[in-house]
Amino acid sequence: MKQLNVVGRRLPQHDAAAKAMGQAQFTDDLRLPGMLYGRLVRSTIPHGNILHIDTSAALALPGVKGVLTGKDIPDRVYGIVPKAKDEHALARDKVRYIGDEVAAVVAVDPETAEEAARLVRVEYEELPAVFDPLEAIKEGAPVIHDRHPDNTSVRIHKQFGDVEAGFAASAYVFEDSFYSQAVNHAPLEPHAALASYDPQHGDFTIWTSTQIPYFLKRNLATTMGVPENKVRVIKPKVGGGFGQKLDMFAKDFCACWFARELSRPVKFVYEREEVFQNTRQRHPMYLTVKTGVNKQGKILAQHITAHADGGAYNSTAPLMITLSAFFVMIPYKIDNLIYEGYHVYTNKPVGGAMRGHGVPQPRFAIERQVDLIAKRIGVDPVKMRLLNAIKAGEPHPAGFVINTCGFAESVAAAAEAIGWEEKRGKLPFGRGIGVAGSAWPSGVANMAHLSSGAVVELFREGRVNVLSGAADIGQGAETVICQIVAERLGVPLEDVHITAADTGTCPLDAGTFGSGVTVRAGNAALSAANDVRDQLFPFVADHLHCDLEDLAAADRRIFVKGEPERGMSLKEALKEYQYSDQPVPIVGRGAWVPPADQPTDLLTENGNFAPNYSFMTQAAEVEVDTDTGKVRVLRMVTAHDCGQPINPMLVEGQLDGSMVGGMGQALYEDSTCIDGQQHNPSFLDYGFPTVLEMPNMQDIHIDTDDPLGPFGAKEAGEGTQLAPAPAIVNAIADAIGVEFDRLPVTPAMVLEALKKKADVEKADVPEEGGV
Amino acid sequence: MAQKQILELTVNGDLYEIACEPNITLLEALREKALLTGTKRGCDLGACGACTVLLDGEAVLACLTLALEAQDREVTTIEGLARNGEMTPLQQAFVDYGAIQCGFCSPGFIMSATAMLADDPSPSQQEIRRRLAGNLCRCTGYAKILKAVEAVVEARARVSAPAGGAL
Amino acid sequence: MRLPKFDYHQPTTIEEAVAALAGSPGARLLAGGTDLLVNMKLRVDLPQTLVGLDRIPGLRGSTQADGRTVMGAKTTLKDIQNDPVLLERYPALVQAARAVGSYRHQTMGTLGGNLCQNTRCRFFNQSQEWRSVRSLCYKAGGEDCHVMNKKGVCYSTYSGDVAPALLVLDARVRLQGPDGGREIPLAEIYSGEGKSPLALGPSEVVTAVVLPENSANGRSCYLKQGLRGSIDFPIVGAAVARFDGGLRVAYTAVDRSPVRAAEVEAELEGRELTGELIDKVAPLCRKAATVTRTTTQPVPYKRELMAALFRKAARTLV
Ligand SMILES: Cc1cc2nc3c(=O)[nH]c(=O)nc-3n(C[C@H](O)[C@H](O)[C@H](O)COP(=O)(O)OP(=O)(O)OC[C@H]3O[C@@H](n4cnc5c(N)ncnc54)[C@H](O)[C@@H]3O)c2cc1C
Ligand code: FES
Ligand code: FES
């Protein structure tokens, strides 16, 4: 067992008190002298050409300082994935969905900006629109982007082993279809940006609610047409992201543009409705899964076809579909596999990264089908999962290197905790339990631009200053990084001070996505802390007349391992160090790139996807009100292998949030559209769960110790959101015998299904049927 | 239409004189005029609780309250709870129990819970849920928020239990 | 979203309030504001003048006298829950007050405001920007009804929780207008029209709600089905009260006004209330209202819920 003091402890986030006292500053809390307020004008049609924009009435409104349209800005497309750029900050010729940005206004106060935006008149030539990906791929469907006449902007075809032979060898082959809906991230903080411009040096500074500052910097520079070093992105506190704050948005560009034009700071804050309609959402997906199994339920071959509804733009499309493909390859060992995926444009709100990016959809399909197959061939669903569970060290068809894997343990632990043996199939009608499993990477290994850097300064008297590019969006990344540094340098957490996610002062970091921050930025911080040790500790070893390797640091002391009294305080050590004219400041530099000897394009090639992989199983117990159709989740268990948790309390926070989020996706949330317009763009109508819906939750830690993660850690941020939905729907099947194949399972659907079932049962026993 | 008028607003014991028209909400007055930005704007339409403040001790949604309605009344915001930098037991519990992730919902939750505990010092778990259900959180899944509030309720029960009484 | 501009009056007596309403056409009363201010931000309601009730004394709380319970219009839904007399006498009322929105809405929301809240529709309760995608709907001042695809009709749905409870309890409301006061049955303040759902005079104020002391002898029940346990408006809400010789049944969120299920009541009249009878009559409930697709919930589901909630609520009174 490792002897640790700060890592592995349940510590509050370092800024929790500031947040509890209302002192933490989010983007909309910032103000600068002379600040102006912006507002966007959005398309009112789903598809059409812009004929004319009349800004005169808006400009005439007292207090209005400027109006901008797509024609006024450089013709430069942007997007988070370089080869899939297809968006303009403001639409130039064409709008592609309701809410597409066509113009922006700025004014002296928010009220005037809001009024001015309403005065901008846009004339369109309407084009036929298409709202369903299965329609959009048909011959003759309206073309949304000229570059993709079939509306399919990304396609992926992954094949491993011999799928035909696998099916031929199977005792049974089943094909089932599923649908997973559009889900909104709905972070509590609406997106915002505040930009200022220094005309003397041509420097922009933007404070913005982003989870990916360095990518944003690049996108802003390209679209504004300025060198990257002229843009400084600062991330204040961010009120949740979940992937939605990954892209550049019109507010970022327009704030910078107007700040330069007017030489005054400009702030944009989105309305809640804009967050729902005009940022990003989880891709709705149609999936067909064809699976061949032997008599025991061992999967011999699988063929998955997925059509993702991308909405009007690409955003992360290639990455999303790649993740979707690769993560059907774990947590089960499937040697013969085909994944065919299509990212299809429609005239609808835009799909993007969301917690579990591209994977909850196939996970829902596969985990539902495992239960269906188990039922059809008469095996136990838990046993079937165990039979197919992937193990550490096994050769992997796609080339994943899985050093540690607690999947089978997680299945067993979750099943036991939910009471599988006693309850499955044995509860009264209306009550049921279900399980589902999943796996997730700790960041993406082999794509460009994925390094993290860190700088650690050990200051006089033992104050530690950390610079990190990592973007804390509420998950506690900064705290985890500080814990790692504190552990290495033997100081308590409160001695470590971090400045992060400011591209003007911090080292490069890829950003918060793919659940990679702890492993990537944590390892960078660890290596910077080690660099600090390398500078100070030889000096201390000399001083103590001991071997360098024998030194340990804890409680603000450096001492000889096993002989705590033989040592000196850190403060003393630093004083001695400085007084003997050693070089100060002591600054350590660290960098970490996931080991990647594999290719950088997973769309077309294979390789080890991530530095390491986490594994988890969720189990649910539900109660169905057969009168009203309402499903209540009574209990949720998650058994999670996240390696060694750096901070178990923060890990639990991630798991709890993921479970409730997953429950929302299973039962409550659906960003529906009417004629391409989002129907329910408000907290009231979208209705994600409140504390009243929260089930009794249990987190089980599956212990593994990963060789690559800092202190053995793996991800804990996204994986748990993958499988709660199928676990819940599997539990509903156990409760009422109805097999749902689409999300969310609404009370109306449940009641209708129960009625149908009753009708069928009646019809099945004609001799008794009176009516 | 309405002229600007001078609104006298007492927030956390301090008097603010704010020139405004009647259509300004208490949330706007606090954030934009009094520059007290601890109170958050999550939806502006009364559906998330992020803007919860106390008006004469009663928790209200500042986004659906006219600033003029708060005239001659005591407004308490999240900034007004701590005394000399010392957090209230509830704030401290939110910190200690990991009830705060991004922290955007936290001020609203803390104000709602503060009002609840002033009303009813020993609410049941179900009652805590009912009274806090108007506050949305997307990060925590609520478990640790509930735990933090329950911890305060329990600590109070211990303190108020008679000496030697059963625990 | 900013509020549109308006003039604001804070009268200190009812008479002043009535005068202020009479003095400016298109003026509106502001009570808790949790319905009105949302609609103003969305710009589906654009009053030139708001008349605040907050400075008028004597409109809050309940009193008992002459065999009647009188509740001031400014009594909050929280006040109602905390009143032990009301809980004992009118459980349905207290259950309904507890069912409104979230506890925050119950703290701010008033009895008068709850009863007088505007009807709702998925094409109406949306921002100006959202609505600008379609022609202005009939209720918002245009011609078209996007639910029915027709002109000149409006099926926006009354969704208040408290009204059905009060309807089955035989509530009356006291009104004060320029010509003095009157007291009418609660049902009469609803016009049954979606476009202008209230049948009040333009400058009439609801001052109180009056209930008979022994209304249903304490045997009443309100059940609400929302998507979530809090915040949400009812998908359907059902109130039942047991009187000597029969049951009263009323619904919300199914029609342009809260409705009594007359046919169901007639069927039950004079018969002994049993579980069997309840099940037998329940299917009739589906026809008690003109249910339209004004929310995201399918119409057949709402009809099923009308029956299901009736069964559940009525059973508590057997
Ligand atoms: C997110 C959210 C969820 C909600 N959920 C529900 C719900 O589930 N169930 C529900 O019933 N309501 C719900 N509401 C609506 C509202 O909160 C309640 O109906 C509340 O009781 C309204 O009361 P108020 O005092 O705030 O009304 P106000 O908004 O002040 O007034 C509403 C209307 O009534 C008129 N009015 C007010 N008082 C009088 C009076 N004395 N005489 C004549 N007219 C008067 C006003 O002019 C206005 O037109 C919800 C609101 C929100 C924002
Ligand atoms: S901001 Fe007031 S309730 Fe959401
Ligand atoms: S902590 Fe982020 S919304 Fe609650």
Side-chain angles (χ1 to χ4, degrees):
Chain A
M1 192 58 216
K2 290 181 209 163
Q3 188 56 82
L4 298 172
N5 295 297
V6 189
V7 161
R9 286 187 49 206
R10 309 172 62 83
L11 295 169
Q13 290 195 22
H14 75 99
D15 51 1
K19 290 171 178 171
M21 294 197 284
Q23 292 165 351
Q25 301 234 296
F26 297 80
T27 302
D28 188 24
D29 299 339
L30 306 173
R31 56 169 47 227
L32 291 171
M35 185 168 86
L36 300 171
Y37 298 82
R39 184 101 173 168
L40 290 156
V41 180
R42 298 180 176 282
S43 163
T44 52
I45 61 165
H47 198 193
N49 294 318
I50 301 172
L51 296 179
H52 178 67
I53 303 181
D54 178 0
T55 61
S56 56
L59 277 167
L61 190 70
V64 171
K65 296 290 176 187
V67 181
L68 185 67
T69 71
K71 291 275 183 240
D72 307 326
I73 64 172
D75 182 5
R76 293 202 183 90
V77 283
Y78 76 93
I80 188 120
V81 180
K83 61 178 170 244
K85 292 180 182 181
D86 61 358
E87 226 172 327
H88 283 95
L90 297 174
R92 288 176 61 81
D93 316 303
K94 195 175 166 180
V95 292
R96 296 182 172 88
Y97 81 107
I98 291 172
D100 219 349
E101 294 84 7
V102 290
V105 299
V106 271
V108 291
D109 56 44
E111 193 175 348
T112 309
E114 198 177 309
E115 277 316 310
R118 294 191 178 116
L119 295 175
V120 174
R121 292 275 161 267
V122 188
E123 240 181 85
Y124 300 100
E125 174 200 17
E126 276 210 55
L127 297 172
V130 60
F131 306 124
D132 188 284
L134 301 183
E135 293 298 319
I137 54 177
K138 285 188 184 153
E139 195 65 47
V143 176
I144 298 169
H145 291 263
D146 293 341
R147 240 178 86 194
H148 298 285
D150 58 357
N151 289 320
T152 307
S153 66
V154 187
R155 59 189 82 224
I156 190 169
H157 192 280
K158 287 275 166 199
Q159 174 155 7
F160 303 101
D162 186 340
V163 174
E164 278 320 308
F167 283 131
S170 298
Y172 311 96
V173 177
F174 299 103
E175 187 174 299
D176 299 283
S177 293
F178 302 90
Y179 172 77
S180 173
Q181 83 278 37
V183 179
N184 198 275
H185 316 59
L188 257 278
E189 179 211 17
H191 301 226
L194 165 61
S196 76
Y197 182 70
D198 168 0
Q200 194 184 341
H201 303 99
D203 286 339
F204 295 90
T205 305
I206 178 166
W207 293 261
T208 177
S209 54
T210 180
Q211 52 189 94
I212 189 160
Y214 294 83
F215 273 92
L216 177 60
K217 172 188 162 94
R218 192 193 269 178
N219 270 314
L220 273 172
T222 341
T223 47
M224 298 283 301
V226 300
E228 239 189 89
N229 63 15
K230 290 291 173 197
V231 181
R232 176 179 179 188
V233 176
I234 303 176
K235 177 207 71 72
K237 299 287 178 222
V238 169
F242 315 107
Q244 202 178 44
K245 294 172 179 169
L246 215 71
D247 298 76
M248 182 180 108
F249 293 102
K251 50 129 188 149
D252 298 306
F253 176 91
C254 293
C256 285
W257 185 275
F258 280 121
R260 181 175 62 189
E261 290 298 287
L262 303 167
S263 273
R264 285 174 74 169
V266 176
K267 187 196 268 185
F268 278 75
V269 184
Y270 280 2
E271 295 289 351
R272 178 53 53 188
E273 173 178 304
E274 295 177 285
V275 176
F276 272 106
Q277 295 186 140
N278 313 117
T279 62
R280 296 293 181 251
Q281 62 183 21
R282 192 189 292 300
H283 297 85
M285 216 184 265
Y286 292 96
L287 290 129
T288 299
V289 186
K290 182 175 167 192
T291 303
V293 292
N294 71 10
K295 287 221 159 78
Q296 289 72 44
K298 171 94 189 126
I299 300 172
L300 302 183
Q302 197 161 55
H303 185 145
I304 296 166
T305 313
H307 286 91
D309 182 347
Y313 296 100
N314 266 334
S315 179
T316 56
L319 181 57
M320 183 278 297
I321 208 79
T322 307
L323 283 162
S324 190
F326 272 79
F327 284 86
V328 304
M329 300 181 207
I330 49 175
Y332 304 125
K333 187 165 185 302
I334 303 166
D335 291 327
N336 306 307
L337 183 100
I338 292 177
Y339 179 99
E340 244 181 282
Y342 305 91
H343 177 273
V344 184
Y345 288 132
T346 57
N347 296 109
K348 293 224 304 262
V350 183
M354 178 179 177
R355 213 173 197 174
H357 205 180
V359 181
Q361 304 94 325
R363 220 47 272 146
F364 170 66
I366 293 168
E367 295 298 317
R368 280 292 297 130
Q369 204 200 28
V370 167
D371 263 42
L372 285 168
I373 292 176
K375 189 171 167 183
R376 290 169 187 152
I377 68 173
V379 304
D380 178 84
V382 162
K383 293 213 180 86
M384 182 165 160
R385 286 182 171 85
L386 287 170
L387 181 67
N388 288 289
I390 213 159
K391 291 174 194 68
E394 276 183 334
H396 186 273
F400 288 13
V401 180
I402 297 169
N403 290 319
T404 55
C405 170
F407 181 63
E409 292 87 331
S410 80
V411 174
E416 191 185 332
I418 205 74
W420 188 259
E421 290 302 326
E422 313 89 81
K423 291 183 173 169
R424 173 72 178 196
K426 298 172 188 141
L427 293 169
F429 187 76
R431 283 280 277 270
I433 61 171
V435 299
S438 55
W440 190 248
S442 307
V444 180
N446 38 10
M447 287 183 164
H449 195 27
L450 285 173
S451 69
S452 278
V455 176
V456 173
E457 178 191 19
L458 184 54
F459 199 65
R460 278 220 306 261
E461 309 210 325
R463 178 190 164 106
V464 181
N465 296 318
V466 179
L467 293 181
S468 162
D472 194 330
I473 55 173
Q475 81 279 39
E478 291 181 4
T479 306
V480 164
I481 289 166
C482 290
Q483 278 181 273
I484 289 170
V485 172
E487 182 64 50
R488 267 325 264 161
L489 299 182
V491 298
L493 185 60
E494 71 249 35
D495 291 2
V496 183
H497 303 264
I498 186 166
T499 303
D502 170 351
T503 69
T505 53
C506 302
L508 182 74
D509 185 273
T512 296
F513 63 92
S515 228
V517 182
T518 296
V519 170
R520 201 182 49 237
N523 267 327
L526 179 61
S527 114
N530 283 336
D531 192 5
V532 165
R533 278 175 73 122
D534 291 346
Q535 295 169 51
L536 178 66
F537 281 36
F539 172 82
V540 177
D542 269 0
H543 207 81
L544 296 175
H545 308 292
C546 69
D547 279 346
L548 182 58
E549 299 77 68
D550 288 342
L551 280 184
D555 300 328
R556 299 191 178 111
R557 279 176 58 76
I558 305 171
F559 52 88
V560 180
K561 270 180 218 156
E563 292 175 74
E565 61 301 332
R566 218 180 125 201
M568 60 202 301
S569 74
L570 180 59
K571 195 166 150 186
E572 224 180 312
L574 286 166
K575 195 167 150 193
E576 295 284 341
Y577 178 88
Q578 191 174 353
Y579 285 7
S580 29
D581 289 337
Q582 300 289 327
V584 285
I586 303 178
V587 177
R589 165 186 168 279
W592 202 74
V593 193
D597 39 353
Q598 287 85 13
T600 55
D601 185 356
L602 289 165
L603 249 183
T604 48
E605 309 194 50
N606 305 318
N608 189 22
F609 204 97
N612 59 35
Y613 303 84
S614 72
F615 295 88
M616 62 292 290
T617 300
Q618 277 81 46
E621 178 166 355
V622 303
E623 183 176 59
V624 181
D625 183 329
T626 50
D627 283 320
T628 61
K630 194 139 173 76
V631 178
R632 233 186 107 64
V633 180
L634 302 173
R635 222 153 83 75
M636 287 245 37
V637 177
T638 183
H640 191 116
D641 158 23
C642 67
Q644 293 296 305
I646 306 283
N647 185 330
M649 188 161 84
L650 298 188
V651 169
E652 286 162 16
Q654 289 300 305
L655 305 189
D656 294 345
S658 294
M659 278 191 277
V660 173
M663 180 181 81
Q665 176 165 2
L667 301 175
Y668 297 93
E669 303 175 27
D670 192 358
S671 275
T672 48
C673 278
I674 349 171
D675 302 334
Q677 182 175 33
Q678 203 202 323
H679 209 308
N680 48 356
S682 67
F683 278 148
L684 176 62
D685 294 325
Y686 181 72
F688 74 72
T690 75
V691 66
L692 278 170
E693 281 69 50
M694 182 195 88
N696 176 328
M697 292 190 279
Q698 183 184 352
D699 309 325
I700 299 172
H701 172 59
I702 304 294
D703 202 68
T704 60
D705 191 354
D706 191 84
L708 278 178
F711 295 96
K714 303 199 278 191
E715 80 83 36
E718 300 189 42
T720 297
Q721 183 131 14
L722 305 177
I728 289 168
V729 182
N730 286 343
I732 295 173
D734 186 40
I736 57 171
V738 177
E739 307 285 353
F740 289 102
D741 55 9
R742 54 186 295 132
L743 292 173
V745 178
T746 63
M749 278 162 64
V750 171
L751 210 57
E752 198 191 317
L754 281 172
K755 226 180 133 205
K756 237 185 236 157
K757 190 170 171 248
D759 291 347
V760 169
E761 278 160 14
K762 244 190 243 157
D764 279 351
V765 276
E767 61 272 24
E768 276 184 17
V771 199
Chain B
M1 186 98 353
Q3 291 302 303
K4 278 216 157 110
Q5 53 195 96
I6 301 294
L7 156 74
E8 290 188 356
L9 207 57
T10 309
V11 188
N12 306 326
D14 298 330
L15 184 71
Y16 293 81
E17 288 192 348
I18 294 169
C20 65
E21 289 177 51
N23 68 337
I24 177 171
T25 63
L26 180 56
L27 180 61
E28 288 152 7
L30 290 170
R31 289 182 53 82
E32 294 164 20
K33 308 284 180 181
L35 307 187
L36 293 166
T37 53
T39 307
K40 300 300 178 211
R41 187 190 80 125
C43 68
D44 227 8
L45 293 174
C48 76
C51 64
T52 308
V53 300
L54 305 185
L55 200 53
D56 287 341
E58 188 66 274
V60 300
L61 302 171
C63 71
L64 296 185
T65 303
L66 297 184
L68 285 171
E69 292 179 274
Q71 186 135 256
D72 308 324
R73 301 171 73 180
E74 278 291 331
V75 183
T76 310
T77 67
I78 188 73
E79 290 95 338
L81 293 185
R83 290 272 167 268
N84 304 319
E86 192 179 325
M87 290 185 278
T88 63
L90 195 65
Q91 286 174 307
Q92 189 66 52
F94 267 65
V95 171
D96 294 342
Y97 284 85
I100 299 177
Q101 285 188 27
C102 79
F104 200 81
C105 70
S106 312
F109 261 106
I110 291 170
M111 298 317 283
S112 286
T114 299
M116 173 183 71
L117 294 179
D119 257 16
D120 177 358
S122 53
S124 64
Q125 200 212 68
Q126 195 49 32
E127 189 63 10
I128 299 173
R129 287 192 190 222
R130 185 175 89 87
R131 298 234 201 159
L132 298 185
N135 290 83
L136 293 178
C137 173
R138 195 59 158 165
C139 299
T140 64
Y142 306 105
K144 293 194 185 303
I145 293 176
L146 199 58
K147 227 186 193 148
V149 177
E150 284 184 294
V152 175
V153 172
E154 277 161 29
R156 282 196 183 186
R158 275 198 298 278
V159 171
S160 57
L167 277 187
Chain C
M1 231 173 264
R2 303 278 146 163
L3 284 166
K5 292 193 194 309
F6 52 83
D7 282 320
Y8 185 52
H9 294 280
Q10 281 179 306
T12 52
T13 65
I14 283 286
E15 290 71 25
E16 279 172 33
V18 171
L21 288 175
S24 41
R28 280 232 195 253
L29 288 173
L30 177 71
T34 57
D35 183 52
L36 181 59
L37 295 184
V38 175
N39 284 341
M40 287 172 65
K41 286 187 179 187
L42 299 177
R43 282 155 174 77
V44 289
D45 207 342
L46 292 165
Q48 300 284 303
T49 303
L50 286 189
V51 179
L53 289 173
D54 58 328
R55 302 283 142 117
I56 304 177
L59 284 179
R60 188 166 170 183
S62 69
T63 53
Q64 276 76 33
D66 308 329
R68 313 173 83 194
T69 300
V70 180
M71 298 174 286
K74 263 172 52 185
T75 307
T76 66
L77 303 169
K78 177 179 167 186
D79 295 339
I80 291 175
Q81 299 166 42
N82 291 341
D83 190 329
V85 177
L86 298 183
L87 179 61
E88 196 191 308
R89 289 189 183 163
Y90 318 111
L93 169 63
V94 173
Q95 287 155 359
R98 285 170 64 99
V100 171
S102 79
Y103 194 66
R104 278 295 72 75
H105 306 104
Q106 297 161 22
T107 308
M108 299 172 74
T110 64
L111 178 59
N114 194 279
L115 295 176
C116 298
Q117 67 180 273
N118 211 338
T119 49
R120 304 179 61 78
C121 172
R122 62 195 166 115
F123 291 98
F124 178 73
N125 296 94
Q126 301 279 7
S127 72
Q128 181 173 347
E129 286 72 17
W130 194 97
R131 287 180 293 112
S132 65
V133 167
R134 288 175 191 74
S135 62
L136 206 55
C137 85
Y138 182 54
K139 185 170 169 72
E143 297 187 333
D144 302 322
C145 169
H146 300 298
V147 174
M148 307 306 275
N149 273 325
K150 260 197 204 161
K151 286 196 191 305
V153 296
C154 175
Y155 286 86
S156 61
T157 304
Y158 182 84
S159 303
D161 280 297
V162 176
L166 288 176
L167 280 183
V168 297
L169 293 169
D170 264 348
R172 298 172 70 80
V173 288
R174 284 193 186 151
L175 304 171
Q176 184 78 31
D179 308 325
R182 58 183 180 131
E183 191 184 295
I184 57 171
L186 173 63
E188 288 177 20
I189 74 167
Y190 300 109
S191 67
E193 280 174 35
K195 189 172 165 75
S196 40
L198 287 182
L200 298 179
S203 37
E204 260 184 330
V205 180
V206 173
T207 58
V209 172
V210 183
L211 285 169
E213 186 182 75
N214 60 352
S215 187
N217 298 314
R219 289 180 301 177
S220 62
C221 175
Y222 176 75
L223 287 181
K224 162 178 179 168
Q225 173 88 0
L227 277 176
R228 296 175 289 183
S230 185
I231 305 178
D232 295 343
F233 280 90
I235 301 171
V236 174
V240 291
R242 188 165 179 185
F243 283 78
D244 299 333
L247 210 60
R248 304 238 168 101
V249 185
Y251 288 103
T252 186
V254 293
D255 212 326
R256 291 147 291 185
S257 63
V259 294
R260 284 270 291 274
E263 207 182 326
V264 178
E265 292 180 5
E267 196 65 28
L268 291 168
E269 180 136 11
R271 296 168 73 177
E272 195 197 338
L273 194 66
T274 62
E276 240 170 49
L277 179 64
I278 290 169
D279 286 347
K280 193 161 157 262
V281 176
L284 281 180
C285 295
R286 301 195 189 108
K287 295 185 220 136
T290 313
V291 188
T292 49
R293 184 123 195 196
T294 52
T295 67
T296 49
Q297 294 300 313
V299 170
Y301 178 58
K302 284 189 148 202
R303 291 213 184 97
E304 283 309 317
L305 271 187
M306 291 172 76
L309 294 182
F310 165 75
R311 283 197 305 267
K312 277 180 189 259
R315 265 174 210 281
T316 67
L317 305 180
V318 173

